[in-house]
Amino acid sequence: MRTLSATGAVGSPADQATVRRLNLGLLMRSLAAGGPRSRARLAEDTGLNKATVSSLVTELVDRGLVTEGIIQRRGVGRPGRTIEVNVGVVRCIGLELNVDYLAGVITDLTGRVLARRRMSLPMLDLGPARAMGQVAEMAGELVAGCGATPNQVQTLHLSLPGLIDIDAGVLAYGPNLRWRQVDVVHTLMGRLRWAGTRIAVDNDANLGAMAEYASGPSAGSNNLLYLVGEIGVGAGMIIDGRIVRGATGFAGEVGHMPIGDPTVQCGCGRRGCWETAVGMNAVVDAVSADRGDRLREGDMTARLAEIVRRAEAGDARTLAALTSAGRNLGVGASVLANLLDPEVIIFGGHFAALEKYVADAVSAEMRSRVLGGEVMACRIEYSTLGFEAPALGAAHAGIDSLINDPTLVLVAQ
Amino acid sequence: MRTLSATGAVGSPADQATVRRLNLGLLMRSLAAGGPRSRARLAEDTGLNKATVSSLVTELVDRGLVTEGIIQRRGVGRPGRTIEVNVGVVRCIGLELNVDYLAGVITDLTGRVLARRRMSLPMLDLGPARAMGQVAEMAGELVAGCGATPNQVQTLHLSLPGLIDIDAGVLAYGPNLRWRQVDVVHTLMGRLRWAGTRIAVDNDANLGAMAEYASGPSAGSNNLLYLVGEIGVGAGMIIDGRIVRGATGFAGEVGHMPIGDPTVQCGCGRRGCWETAVGMNAVVDAVSADRGDRLREGDMTARLAEIVRRAEAGDARTLAALTSAGRNLGVGASVLANLLDPEVIIFGGHFAALEKYVADAVSAEMRSRVLGGEVMACRIEYSTLGFEAPALGAAHAGIDSLINDPTLVLVAQ
């Protein structure tokens, strides 16, 4: 007989080290969410006793994760120092590689962006080896750009569009990049040779979801879906406070739900896939006057700006195309809402840039299609993090790993 | 900033009591999964030290959860007794109420069924109050039927078809029962007045999934979807080893995905819902020769037997209808596979009874529609637990709660 654990209970013995690791994480999460506080207040807020808090704080100071801040005088007692997340030592890098650009941020442990880079790059022409060279180069620039040194960089996470084998650190297949079996993590380790940096890779949808969870308007929503759409459409899913990856790591492939126009052929060979109705190419096709339309050229940002310009000018073809895309977005979002009952579905990528012209149609479809009515009230939001979301989420993936297990950070020498 | 915890880390301080509770659970899970063993072997298998195992075993014996079994003589050392799950004290009841029947099982802590009951009941005529009376009566019969007493019954879980508010213990809405806001848990507490029994309610899809996880051919699959279909179609989802309920508890509503024939009206008022193509009524409509066909009457088991009889006899209309249902089943299952990347999707309810005539069409659609090819190889299975799955899952939901937190069971007096 197999026993299902409602709490995701540990499968290994718990001991004193487990207790300490869990409590270090509890203290760090409390500090990250609630800001600087005295030891006494931290004890109150976490339920840990004062002696334990003091011992844990000493360890966190040694690891460079917290500092003692300004002196606070409260009443007649001995003045105490507030404890706060150390913004001065640990650095986390998040990068996003997509078909025609590379973007990156470097943050402190609170998620504040200290430097950012973005460059257009034709990845199809570069190929994976040279592209990884560019990634490593940008990582170095980010470190230099904020006056840090590589040994401060505890984590580097890279976002890629495609199917990722997280455990192996490999891009299994990136259909739009046309890359297969790229050993991302070891390549970057070899190029950077930063001994203390943990390197990882994940897909853009998962990392976009993490960015929203960390710092978007719905931060902390434990059931949050993030839809990223450019050429393809993918979903990053946080369910019960955890990223859902599936049995083989490939969860989130929503672009080929057969809910589009069954006469339209998709790049995958099938007909009626959702992304043929809502992907960026579908929107461009519907808005374009003819094959020579300049919408079909240039980078994503420029093309989106042109679509918005035409909509603002009241171009009937454009407005009709965006309303239709909005309806189809709403149909797909309602499938996800009925299946997963999230608190919020957040549209990222080009959807967010087109909010003004798709939102009414999306809402109308959601109202008529989501079951459970007012009880199951799934909100729709449009990402305010823009195209930086996956890079920011990549930095947060690193931050989260350190905050949940502070023992990953070696004691400063 | 909000921190995402990859491990679902605890939000409260860990202390000695936490450690002990986690380790009691670890030991019980090991015994439930791996069978009787010596203390020394348990220490090896769990990684706990022998002194800890002995102390934990003493507590588990006191709570009536394990017993010392036969004496085993190994080599020249002192003979030892094997420790095993106590099948003699604790009892768990699982019941399923559906539109036209009530079914129940009572089990020991290993999930062995000690008694079962099943009766046809017209719930629409009875209404919720009298129906709950029947549930309580069956619970009493199950206890008597295996020679137990109510104070041995640690858990009673009831499966209902509909939207359940788990925390409140309330059926929010049962569309096919036409019940709203039924306070199931308190009603049963009041009717039974079994002081030591924890009573809970969940839906048939979630509990079917738990039954498959506990004892089906894919037991222990941490990413498992279970589809239950009678009038409606619902999904029970185990993702990363936990049941997914959604933000408001209503996850799993797959029956209204707009992937069916867009000209067919659904009971919900929309068109093209999945259940208009694969639900039991849709199958009956497609198989029936005319409105007077006797397929339209009688209980589910009898109607399914008649459909199978016609298929066996080679009736062309029946075979075509089942192939079409199989294709539509495969289309919907592929949407779920692409989104959630489960190890296995298990068809329960009437789907399982029709396996022989739908399986080829299901497989063909899955092969052509699931992305990731051989890597993301989602299996399709047909439940072997039959219509008893939700009741069995309800018993297992109780067993799982006790095994994961043995401190829920009071020390025997």
Side-chain angles (χ1 to χ4, degrees):
Chain A
M1 188 189 73
R2 299 301 296 261
T3 310
L4 192 63
S5 158
T7 56
V10 294
S12 52
D15 59 15
Q16 277 310 313
T18 315
V19 170
R20 193 163 177 93
R21 196 171 62 245
L22 291 174
N23 287 335
L24 286 167
L26 176 65
L27 208 56
M28 285 301 293
R29 282 198 299 280
S30 179
L31 282 166
R37 265 155 299 162
S38 67
R39 286 176 170 78
R41 186 63 196 279
L42 276 170
E44 279 172 40
D45 291 350
T46 58
L48 295 163
N49 71 49
K50 288 185 196 174
T52 303
V53 167
S54 283
S55 161
L56 296 171
V57 164
T58 301
E59 176 169 347
L60 294 171
V61 168
D62 287 346
R63 292 186 189 274
L65 293 169
V66 307
T67 51
E68 299 188 281
I70 51 164
I71 294 173
Q72 280 206 324
R73 198 173 291 273
R74 285 209 309 189
V76 294
R78 198 164 65 89
R81 283 175 178 276
T82 56
I83 308 304
E84 57 192 274
V85 173
N86 186 347
V87 297
V89 179
V90 172
R91 298 289 174 257
C92 296
I93 289 178
L95 294 144
E96 185 203 4
L97 184 156
N98 216 314
V99 176
D100 54 6
Y101 65 85
L102 179 63
V105 297
I106 184 166
T107 72
D108 64 24
L109 260 186
T110 68
R112 192 163 65 96
V113 174
L114 306 173
R116 50 168 53 85
R117 288 285 184 281
R118 185 180 183 93
M119 61 194 300
S120 291
L121 280 174
M123 299 300 172
L124 289 177
D125 298 341
L126 280 184
R130 279 186 293 169
M132 288 302 125
Q134 294 285 342
V135 171
E137 201 169 298
M138 186 174 280
E141 288 170 16
L142 286 166
V143 171
C146 69
T149 58
N151 62 3
Q152 289 178 260
V153 180
Q154 290 288 331
T155 65
L156 185 156
H157 285 237
L158 175 63
S159 165
L160 289 171
L163 301 177
I164 313 284
D165 182 338
I166 302 274
D167 294 334
V170 166
L171 173 76
Y173 178 44
N176 299 321
L177 291 168
R178 298 178 208 153
W179 297 352
R180 281 183 190 275
Q181 292 295 325
V182 180
D183 189 345
V184 175
V185 166
H186 293 105
T187 306
L188 290 177
M189 280 179 179
R191 282 189 178 268
L192 287 168
R193 301 180 70 180
W194 293 352
T197 307
R198 289 164 186 273
I199 299 178
V201 59
D202 205 339
N203 76 42
D204 48 354
N206 288 346
L207 291 170
M210 285 196 203
E212 295 290 345
Y213 186 91
S215 64
S218 286
S221 291
N222 279 326
N223 288 279
L224 174 162
L225 303 189
Y226 175 83
L227 289 175
V228 64
E230 295 193 18
I231 299 169
V233 178
M237 302 181 281
I238 293 174
I239 295 182
D240 293 337
R242 301 194 297 187
I243 286 275
V244 169
R245 305 184 184 286
T248 55
F250 298 159
E253 289 294 329
V254 294
H256 303 280
M257 291 194 286
I259 58 175
D261 180 339
T263 66
V264 179
Q265 177 111 25
C266 179
C268 74
R270 300 175 196 89
R271 288 171 179 281
C273 293
W274 192 31
E275 65 187 49
T276 66
V278 301
M280 184 65 183
N281 288 346
V283 172
V284 166
D285 280 347
V287 170
S288 298
D290 55 53
R291 292 196 163 272
D293 196 309
R294 63 193 160 110
L295 259 190
R296 296 180 187 276
E297 280 160 28
D299 74 359
M300 176 73 82
T301 317
R303 295 157 88 196
L304 276 170
E306 173 64 14
I307 293 173
V308 169
R309 194 195 60 72
R310 292 185 193 183
E312 288 289 340
D315 177 61
R317 183 190 194 94
T318 303
L319 292 172
L322 294 178
T323 300
S324 170
R327 270 199 302 269
N328 283 297
L329 261 181
V331 172
S334 71
V335 170
L336 300 177
N338 285 330
L339 179 61
L340 296 171
D341 181 17
E343 278 173 61
V344 58
I345 297 178
I346 302 168
F347 292 118
H350 71 278
F351 304 131
L354 300 172
E355 170 181 3
K356 187 173 164 189
Y357 305 100
V358 299
D360 286 349
V362 169
S363 298
E365 290 297 331
M366 288 289 286
R367 269 196 305 276
S368 82
R369 291 176 181 274
V370 176
L371 307 174
E374 61 285 10
V375 186
M376 187 169 122
C378 171
R379 293 197 308 281
I380 294 287
E381 284 178 9
Y382 296 82
S383 178
T384 56
L385 302 175
F387 285 100
E388 195 174 69
L392 197 62
H396 275 288
I399 295 171
D400 290 356
S401 68
L402 302 178
I403 283 182
N404 282 303
D405 184 1
T407 65
L408 292 177
V409 181
L410 298 180
V411 177
Q413 301 302 307
Chain B
M1 187 188 74
R2 300 301 298 260
T3 310
L4 192 63
S5 159
T7 55
V10 292
S12 53
D15 58 15
Q16 278 309 313
T18 315
V19 170
R20 192 163 178 93
R21 198 172 60 245
L22 291 174
N23 287 336
L24 285 166
L26 176 65
L27 208 56
M28 284 302 294
R29 282 196 299 280
S30 179
L31 282 167
R37 266 156 298 163
S38 68
R39 285 177 171 79
R41 185 64 196 279
L42 276 170
E44 279 172 41
D45 291 350
T46 58
L48 294 162
N49 72 49
K50 289 186 195 173
T52 303
V53 168
S54 282
S55 161
L56 295 171
V57 164
T58 301
E59 178 170 343
L60 294 172
V61 168
D62 287 346
R63 291 185 190 276
L65 293 169
V66 307
T67 50
E68 299 188 281
I70 50 164
I71 294 173
Q72 281 206 323
R73 198 173 291 274
R74 286 206 310 188
V76 296
R78 197 164 66 90
R81 284 174 178 275
T82 57
I83 308 302
E84 58 191 273
V85 173
N86 187 347
V87 297
V89 178
V90 171
R91 298 289 175 259
C92 295
I93 289 179
L95 294 145
E96 185 203 2
L97 184 156
N98 216 315
V99 175
D100 54 7
Y101 65 85
L102 178 64
V105 297
I106 184 166
T107 73
D108 64 25
L109 261 185
T110 68
R112 192 162 64 95
V113 175
L114 306 173
R116 49 170 52 90
R117 289 284 183 285
R118 187 179 181 93
M119 61 195 297
S120 291
L121 280 174
M123 298 298 172
L124 289 177
D125 299 341
L126 278 184
R130 277 185 293 168
M132 288 304 125
Q134 294 285 341
V135 171
E137 200 169 302
M138 186 176 279
E141 288 169 16
L142 287 164
V143 171
C146 69
T149 58
N151 63 0
Q152 288 178 261
V153 180
Q154 290 288 330
T155 66
L156 183 156
H157 286 237
L158 175 64
S159 165
L160 289 171
L163 301 176
I164 313 285
D165 182 338
I166 301 276
D167 294 334
V170 166
L171 173 76
Y173 179 43
N176 299 322
L177 291 168
R178 299 179 207 153
W179 296 354
R180 281 183 190 273
Q181 294 295 323
V182 181
D183 190 345
V184 176
V185 167
H186 294 105
T187 306
L188 290 177
M189 280 178 178
R191 282 190 179 269
L192 287 169
R193 303 180 69 179
W194 293 352
T197 307
R198 289 164 186 274
I199 299 178
V201 59
D202 204 339
N203 76 42
D204 48 353
N206 288 345
L207 292 170
M210 285 195 200
E212 294 291 344
Y213 186 93
S215 63
S218 284
S221 291
N222 279 326
N223 288 278
L224 174 162
L225 304 188
Y226 174 83
L227 289 174
V228 63
E230 294 194 17
I231 298 171
V233 178
M237 303 182 281
I238 292 173
I239 295 182
D240 294 336
R242 300 193 297 185
I243 285 276
V244 169
R245 304 184 185 285
T248 53
F250 299 158
E253 289 294 328
V254 294
H256 303 279
M257 293 195 286
I259 57 175
D261 180 338
T263 65
V264 178
Q265 177 111 25
C266 179
C268 74
R270 302 176 195 86
R271 288 172 179 282
C273 295
W274 192 31
E275 64 187 50
T276 65
V278 301
M280 183 63 183
N281 288 346
V283 173
V284 167
D285 280 347
V287 170
S288 298
D290 55 54
R291 292 197 163 269
D293 196 309
R294 64 193 159 112
L295 258 188
R296 296 180 187 276
E297 280 160 28
D299 76 0
M300 175 75 82
T301 316
R303 295 156 88 196
L304 277 170
E306 172 64 15
I307 293 174
V308 170
R309 195 195 59 73
R310 293 185 193 181
E312 289 289 339
D315 176 60
R317 181 190 195 93
T318 301
L319 291 172
L322 294 178
T323 298
S324 170
R327 270 201 301 270
N328 282 298
L329 261 181
V331 171
S334 71
V335 169
L336 301 176
N338 286 329
L339 178 62
L340 295 171
D341 182 16
E343 279 174 60
V344 58
I345 298 178
I346 302 167
F347 292 117
H350 70 277
F351 304 131
L354 300 173
E355 171 180 2
K356 186 172 166 190
Y357 305 99
V358 299
D360 287 348
V362 168
S363 297
E365 291 297 330
M366 289 289 287
R367 270 196 306 275
S368 83
R369 291 176 180 274
V370 176
L371 306 174
E374 62 284 11
V375 185
M376 186 169 120
C378 171
R379 293 198 308 282
I380 294 285
E381 285 178 7
Y382 296 81
S383 179
T384 56
L385 303 175
F387 285 99
E388 193 175 71
L392 197 61
H396 275 288
I399 294 170
D400 290 356
S401 68
L402 303 178
I403 283 181
N404 282 302
D405 184 359
T407 65
L408 292 178
V409 181
L410 298 179
V411 177
Q413 300 304 307

